[in-house]
Amino acid sequence: MQYRKLGDTGPEVSALGFGGWPMGGARYGSIDNDLAVAAIGRALDLGVTLFDTAVAYGLGTSESLMGNALQGHWDDIVVVTKTGVVPQPDNPDAFYRDSRPETIRSQCEFSLKALGTDFIDVYLIHWPDFDTPRDETMRAMEDLKAEGKIGHVGVSNFSTTLMDECLAVSPIVANQVGYHMLDRRHADEIIPYCAANGIGVMAYGSLAHGVLTGAFKPDHQFEEGDWRGTGIAFGLPLFHPDYLPETLEAVDEVTAAAEQVGLATPQLALRWVLDEPAISTALVGFRTPAEVDAAVDALEADLPDGLMSAPNEATFEAYQRLLAGGAPTTTDQGPGRRS
């Protein structure tokens, strides 16, 4: 296992992070809880130390499942969870942003109980709340840190301007953003900013939310309730039938390069993410122990010079086609505002 610092002041973490979104329920398709728990055990055995979840992932379902599996390991791992996203009263499957101090405090208590611990290593604001002053939010996070409930403050899906506002009040050790071969919207501004300011980058969607696993077909059908069934991933028409066939042709280039060195498509896609030095950890929503094994093998594989050239070019062209389809240049396409 490789280990990297989470920013200048954060803890050392495994380059592979265990993502807990799929454990939240049907929003990411069905999952076998027993296999998921076994995957956590395998990840621990292989040296994975960062485990990421959120109160919004199944309203505590992911936190509880992950927390139960991590009992007895708290001193050896870094647990990350998130606050600031609240279900709508009339629709628990829809959320809005709420980073008011009282919400942050109540969600922190909820998460501690769900996880079964008394300490959260890294606590992130899940999405920026434009209806709450940034200084109020960050002071609330600092209060939790002073009380010994959390170790480090971070953000998720924050722009450089918003990070500037946060840093005026509190240090932040990480920004968790979407980043993969088919979505490079943060490559030119947010990732360099984080590198320059000592902020670790936690990359989510490392396998393009499934497209870079090699398992998708042009006519792929999602289960009912799966968010990917909309065809859109944070503004990109990643799964849309008008774009998916051409995108999968680019994925074929990744597969061809991977096969040259005895790897599978997702393994090479993961290596591409981790080739960016500013990435502290690449999050993968592992569902089975075998997926953990494959990811660790990918880290250890020796890649010849030039292997990434063709897949990098093909997926960049696919990314540009997705942008040309009217996708926003920002990925701030999450839950709506409170007002």
Side-chain angles (χ1 to χ4, degrees):
M1 179 58 61
Q2 298 176 15
Y3 297 92
R4 303 179 178 187
K5 283 279 289 183
L6 192 60
D8 286 349
T9 61
E12 186 176 72
V13 298
S14 53
L16 286 177
F18 198 114
W21 191 1
M23 292 181 175
R27 289 285 292 160
Y28 229 123
S30 58
I31 187 170
D32 184 313
N33 286 349
D34 290 339
L35 276 178
V37 169
I40 291 175
R42 185 60 176 158
L44 289 167
D45 290 342
L46 294 179
V48 173
T49 61
L50 187 139
F51 294 83
D52 175 84
T53 182
V55 67
Y57 298 164
L59 301 179
T61 301
S62 174
E63 288 179 319
S64 295
L65 191 63
M66 187 172 281
N68 287 337
L70 293 173
Q71 293 303 316
H73 297 280
W74 299 118
D75 292 340
D76 305 317
I77 64 168
V78 173
V79 65
V80 181
T81 193
K82 311 179 196 72
T83 183
V85 171
V86 176
Q88 296 182 6
D90 57 346
N91 182 4
D93 292 326
F95 295 84
Y96 62 88
R97 307 177 191 203
D98 184 354
S99 293
R100 290 175 292 183
E102 59 268 31
T103 301
I104 289 172
R105 179 167 292 278
S106 64
Q107 287 196 328
C108 181
E109 296 296 341
F110 179 93
S111 292
L112 288 169
K113 184 176 180 179
L115 286 163
T117 184
D118 59 1
F119 183 75
I120 295 166
D121 296 285
V122 182
Y123 203 35
L124 308 182
I125 302 295
H126 204 156
W127 287 91
D129 173 8
F130 298 104
D131 299 307
T132 301
R134 210 77 53 219
D135 60 339
E136 291 184 12
T137 297
M138 299 311 291
R139 278 199 290 267
M141 298 287 274
E142 281 296 305
D143 287 346
L144 292 173
K145 186 164 68 171
E147 294 167 17
K149 295 180 185 293
I150 67 175
H152 299 276
V153 175
V155 296
S156 180
N157 304 298
F158 273 49
S159 68
T160 57
T161 299
L162 294 176
M163 284 188 282
D164 276 339
E165 294 176 7
C166 291
L167 289 171
V169 181
S170 166
I172 52 179
V173 299
N175 188 9
Q176 187 174 134
V177 297
Y179 181 65
H180 52 78
M181 296 181 92
L182 296 166
D183 188 355
R184 311 185 188 194
R185 285 175 286 180
H186 295 318
D188 294 331
E189 186 174 353
I190 287 180
I191 290 177
Y193 174 98
C194 288
N197 287 275
I199 299 169
V201 178
M202 301 174 63
Y204 69 77
S206 300
L207 302 182
H209 309 289
V211 175
L212 286 165
T213 62
F216 274 54
K217 303 297 181 186
D219 59 350
H220 190 90
Q221 298 295 310
F222 293 98
E223 296 179 26
E224 184 178 353
D226 192 317
W227 69 275
R228 296 169 295 180
T230 63
I232 307 297
F234 303 99
L236 279 183
L238 186 60
F239 314 105
H240 196 283
D242 289 347
Y243 294 90
L244 189 57
E246 276 191 287
T247 299
L248 291 178
E249 290 179 8
V251 176
D252 288 342
E253 290 288 344
V254 183
T255 302
E259 289 176 346
Q260 293 180 37
V261 288
L263 295 178
T265 311
Q267 292 176 301
L268 202 64
L270 189 59
R271 281 292 295 266
W272 183 90
V273 173
L274 290 170
D275 277 350
E276 167 53 61
I279 301 296
S280 297
T281 191
L283 297 170
V284 181
F286 296 115
R287 296 169 181 261
T288 67
E291 291 177 350
V292 180
D293 286 337
V296 174
D297 287 345
L299 286 184
E300 298 173 351
D302 186 21
L303 304 184
D305 292 342
L307 181 73
M308 287 289 197
S309 296
N312 181 61
E313 181 178 348
T315 53
F316 181 69
E317 290 175 357
Y319 158 65
Q320 290 181 309
R321 284 196 296 270
L322 294 172
L323 279 184
T329 55
T330 172
T331 61
D332 191 2
Q333 306 294 311
R337 296 175 67 160
R338 223 172 39 250
S339 57

